[in-house]
Amino acid sequence: MNVKCVVCEADVSLPENCCEGELVVCQDCGTELEVVSLEPPMVEEAPQVQEDWGE
């Protein structure tokens, strides 16, 4: 199963046992993508992890 990278529009292949919420990396631009849907397959740019400063 393939999707298009939302940043560079390269083809990104999803792992065979992929599930929603899984992170994949675009091999062309290195962007971390989050699988948001499997039917149809869709990804979004993964949110950046931010420091919570102990909150």
Side-chain angles (χ1 to χ4, degrees):
M1 193 169 9
N2 287 338
V3 294
K4 293 278 186 193
C5 174
V6 295
V7 175
C8 71
E9 298 189 2
D11 283 328
V12 177
S13 60
L14 299 179
E16 191 162 317
N17 295 328
C18 186
C19 59
E20 288 183 21
E22 190 165 333
L23 298 178
V24 293
V25 176
C26 174
Q27 296 302 313
D28 282 9
C29 69
T31 300
E32 223 176 33
L33 303 166
E34 180 179 0
V35 178
V36 294
S37 173
L38 294 174
E39 291 295 326
M42 291 174 53
V43 293
E44 291 180 351
E45 194 169 355
Q48 296 296 318
V49 177
Q50 297 180 356
E51 178 62 51
D52 66 1
W53 300 101
E55 293 178 11

